[in-house]
Amino acid sequence: MAAAPPDWGVQYTLSLPNEAAARAAAAEVSGQGHRLTAVRVHDHFRYVPSSPSYDRPSMDPELEGWWQVFSLAVHSGYERMALEPFLRSQRIRVAQVARAHGGFAEGSAEGHAVTLEEFFARDGLVHERTGAEVPLPSPLPTDPARPAAGPPWKPSEIGEPAAVVQAVVAVAERMYGSAEDAPDAVGWLLDEEFACGEPYESTGDFLGDLSDAVAHQGTCTDATVEAVPFLVELICDESIAPGGRLVLLGDLLRLAASGPAAAVSLADRVTALGGAWQEPAAACLTRRAIADGLPRLLSRREGESDGVRFVLAALTALCGLPDRCALSGPAAPPAPAGSSRADVVSLVAALLQDDREGVVTALDRLASWSPGIAEKAGPHVNPRTLGRAILPLLVLEDVTSGIAAERDLP
């Protein structure tokens, strides 16, 4: 007989504008079956002499004077993956509690319940329900079936590691000459240590390192802005295989969406603080740099694969550039009605046409089979911004299937 899976815990963190709001929110989540709930002033441990954080500057000065709720929910009887649809609904529910009391949900952490309970900081504990578990519905909810993607893409080779490295270095030398004259995100390619280093075993590893150098963990910086012309030149270089171009275009797609993605994730916080969203300068400048390079990229699309043209259309939409040809004629991807690809194409088309109603309709269709979208689509999220934020994942999980058989895909 198989052993029962360990109890699973989720610790939520909410930020509220004052103590009364925090206590009200804490009472509400405790009433939902959470086992432990604590209320503390924001940065509480900065005021505790025995704490390593004592008297240190706040890591989030915007929340000076705010209060936080920490709450632990426990679930038993199921493996973690089986719980995902239910846990998604709980994250949405807890976020609604925070909004209702003038605050926002900061996020959650998961793990074995016994561990989370052992290390739960009990300072400010206001509710303790020993052994409590959040009631689970029977049967557990499941995610909706995903429609067929559409016809397979023509396979695209990504290129051998040594050849790709050589091509990338050649483009860097042609553009900058030496490491001293190259942007920080590119200079390592021209460094003597790199030239003498161990060869890459896979193209994916190398392109992954290049992507991380341009934008570490996807975060745009001034170095990212400077590196965009290099990526454009690289994509246009004939020595880069079609699959390699697809991977590099995917990098540009994710970079162009970094601003909208941040706007979606911070929408509740910005609203609760009474401010207006201001896109980070580096994210905005990165998208503008990509837009500057788009005419050159688009001028080559007639000779590209369906997958590359699809990514180019999505990139055009993300940069806010209308292009009547982006999803027409030979550039139109094969997307039969009722397929997941058709729904993604509808979103791209609505964004290209700046059609707000079309974006809402496309998002509704996408959310019917991709329920994670509902978690992002809070009341303070602009639909067009949401569409741009989710577009890279939707497009890339489809088109990269054409190179998924490559062992070295990043």
Side-chain angles (χ1 to χ4, degrees):
M1 187 175 188
D7 292 353
W8 196 252
V10 183
Q11 180 173 310
Y12 299 92
T13 303
L14 287 66
S15 286
L16 287 305
N18 52 59
E19 182 179 2
R23 289 184 176 275
E28 194 166 340
V29 294
S30 177
Q32 294 174 4
H34 291 206
R35 185 172 294 183
L36 297 170
T37 312
V39 172
R40 299 191 288 269
V41 68
H42 189 269
D43 277 343
H44 160 78
F45 290 104
R46 289 176 56 221
Y47 308 104
V48 178
S50 60
S51 169
S53 301
Y54 178 64
D55 209 28
R56 290 190 176 183
S58 173
M59 298 294 289
D60 199 346
E62 269 196 320
L63 297 182
E64 187 73 34
W66 278 55
W67 285 67
Q68 290 178 302
V69 173
F70 302 89
S71 194
L72 175 63
V74 175
H75 314 277
S76 66
Y78 295 91
E79 296 288 352
R80 168 61 181 83
M81 292 305 295
L83 288 169
E84 176 55 31
F86 176 74
L87 294 183
R88 186 184 303 115
S89 71
Q90 293 303 291
R91 292 191 294 267
I92 293 173
R93 188 180 185 186
V94 170
Q96 289 170 340
V97 170
R99 291 189 204 107
H101 294 281
F104 60 95
E106 287 197 57
S108 60
E110 299 186 25
H112 290 163
V114 64
T115 302
L116 292 181
E117 186 168 5
E118 179 182 356
F119 289 99
F120 189 91
R122 293 173 175 258
D123 303 59
L125 191 70
V126 290
H127 300 285
E128 180 172 9
R129 304 178 62 183
T130 303
E133 296 180 8
V134 174
L136 295 172
S138 182
L140 279 178
T142 58
D143 283 338
R146 184 188 180 102
W153 301 100
K154 181 180 178 181
S156 298
E157 295 183 1
I158 196 172
E160 290 297 321
V164 174
V165 171
Q166 184 178 11
V168 172
V169 171
V171 172
E173 289 176 341
R174 184 169 70 241
M175 290 186 70
Y176 308 110
S178 67
E180 289 76 16
D181 297 323
D184 291 343
V186 180
W188 62 283
L189 296 166
L190 302 174
D191 190 273
E192 186 175 336
E193 291 185 8
F194 173 73
C196 298
E198 293 292 326
Y200 279 88
E201 293 185 1
S202 77
T203 303
D205 286 344
F206 171 63
L207 293 179
D209 282 354
L210 178 60
S211 175
D212 196 52
V214 170
H216 181 58
Q217 296 183 342
T219 302
C220 294
T221 64
D222 292 344
T224 309
V225 181
E226 294 175 346
V228 167
F230 170 73
L231 292 179
V232 172
E233 183 71 21
L234 195 54
I235 293 166
C236 293
D237 192 274
E238 295 296 338
S239 60
I240 299 297
R245 290 202 295 279
L246 197 56
V247 171
L248 292 166
L249 280 168
D251 290 338
L252 289 185
L253 195 64
R254 285 184 284 263
L255 292 176
S258 62
V264 168
S265 67
L266 295 174
D268 281 353
R269 174 189 171 112
V270 171
T271 301
L273 287 168
W277 166 251
Q278 290 186 325
E279 185 177 27
C284 179
L285 292 173
T286 295
R287 191 171 59 256
R288 289 180 184 176
I290 294 171
D292 289 343
L294 261 176
R296 187 172 180 211
L297 294 171
L298 292 171
S299 70
R300 300 166 43 90
R301 66 183 164 198
E302 296 304 323
E304 296 285 7
S305 66
D306 287 342
V308 167
R309 290 198 296 266
F310 189 22
V311 177
L312 284 171
L315 194 58
T316 305
L318 273 173
C319 291
L321 301 179
D323 187 334
R324 297 179 183 276
C325 300
L327 281 174
S328 63
S339 66
S340 61
R341 188 178 302 158
D343 290 345
V344 180
V345 169
S346 294
L347 176 60
V348 175
L351 290 170
L352 284 167
Q353 298 161 13
D354 199 18
D355 176 4
R356 188 182 186 284
E357 290 186 5
V359 168
V360 172
T361 300
L363 288 173
D364 287 343
R365 286 204 300 267
L366 289 163
S368 71
W369 54 262
S370 183
I373 293 174
E375 189 174 350
K376 298 177 183 294
H380 306 307
V381 175
N382 179 286
R384 185 165 45 198
T385 303
L386 175 60
R388 288 174 172 163
I390 65 174
L391 191 56
L393 177 60
L394 293 169
V395 170
L396 295 176
E397 69 180 3
D398 187 339
V399 298
T400 54
S401 63
I403 50 176
E406 296 284 347
R407 64 178 177 84
D408 53 2
L409 179 65

